Amino acid sequence: MFFKGYSRDKLIVLYILDALREDIALDTLCHFIADNGWTEYLVSKAAVGELEKLGMIAAVPKPFGQSYRITDYGSEMVASFENELRLSEREDIAAKIKANRQEFAALTRYFGDWTLRHDGLYDVSLNVAEGSKVLLAISVILPDVQSAAQAVKNWRTTATSIYAFMLDTLFAQAESTGVGKDSDGCR
């Protein structure tokens, strides 16, 4: 228990969303928290769900999935209890948000998530979006949570090159076979 019955993990999620002041995808938020060692990915994912139920954060529907933002109630909680986080933690979070703000925008463009299926396998969704449109959606079924989490993590850093390779390959194939050309060889 940390503040009014809420864990430190929830306070970290709230503090980050309050400092960020922008919508952020669940996967991006949870990886940011886990990658910086503040708490584990699944713990922060559970905290987000609980904070949403409590009305401290809100899901923002996007054509390519949900993002989250802090509510006024959540901001009030941060203002009341931010000192429960050490100053060094607050400064670390603020510095890392500042350093990663551009990456957050890119990660909103290249995003992925995984869910457990009823048969024990994992559905992994990897996407590329531009504005409000999904340009590419890849679905893969993987055997375990480690593979699913690794695929999503790798997507965050390799999506740009994979997407470019796919487009290059698709268009190169179309050009070499003459697909999409009329009888004069023109498109």
Side-chain angles (χ1 to χ4, degrees):
M1 300 296 175
F2 203 45
F3 68 99
K4 282 194 178 180
Y6 301 109
S7 68
R8 176 182 177 280
D9 306 319
K10 291 184 188 93
L11 183 56
I12 288 172
V13 169
L14 287 173
Y15 190 82
I16 289 169
L17 289 174
D18 192 57
L20 185 60
R21 289 292 174 183
E22 294 178 20
D23 298 348
I24 186 169
L26 177 62
D27 180 64
T28 303
L29 175 62
C30 294
H31 275 292
F32 178 66
I33 292 168
D35 292 349
N36 286 292
W38 297 315
T39 193
E40 295 174 24
Y41 179 92
L42 292 176
V43 171
S44 60
K45 197 170 187 179
V48 167
E50 293 172 27
L51 290 167
E52 182 182 10
K53 287 178 188 172
L54 294 168
M56 292 184 199
I57 65 174
V60 180
K62 305 277 184 176
F64 49 83
Q66 286 186 357
S67 290
Y68 289 86
R69 73 170 61 136
I70 196 162
T71 63
D72 290 339
Y73 178 47
S75 290
E76 290 171 15
M77 295 304 286
V78 170
S80 296
F81 295 99
E82 71 181 344
N83 289 330
E84 298 296 324
L85 290 176
R86 292 187 311 270
L87 177 60
S88 61
E89 284 180 301
R90 295 191 314 263
E91 289 173 345
D92 187 37
I93 290 169
K96 288 181 176 164
I97 286 174
K98 184 177 180 181
N100 290 288
R101 197 170 284 277
Q102 293 298 328
E103 182 183 353
F104 291 150
L107 289 174
T108 301
R109 182 170 185 206
Y110 305 105
F111 60 94
D113 198 10
W114 53 266
T115 56
L116 177 62
R117 297 165 35 121
H118 69 280
D119 60 2
L121 298 174
Y122 290 82
D123 282 325
V124 178
S125 173
L126 307 168
N127 301 278
V128 176
E130 182 71 48
S132 63
K133 296 178 185 172
V134 175
L135 302 176
L136 173 70
I138 299 172
S139 292
V140 153
I141 299 171
L142 295 174
D144 55 55
V145 68
Q146 293 84 6
S147 299
Q150 191 63 44
V152 170
K153 184 175 183 178
N154 288 345
W155 182 251
R156 293 168 43 203
T157 57
T158 61
T160 304
S161 59
I162 291 170
Y163 182 57
F165 173 78
M166 288 180 68
L167 290 179
D168 289 346
T169 301
L170 290 170
F171 289 123
Q173 190 70 4
E175 290 173 8
S176 68
T177 62
V179 173
K181 295 183 182 178
D182 62 20
S183 61
D184 295 331
C186 299
R187 292 194 181 267

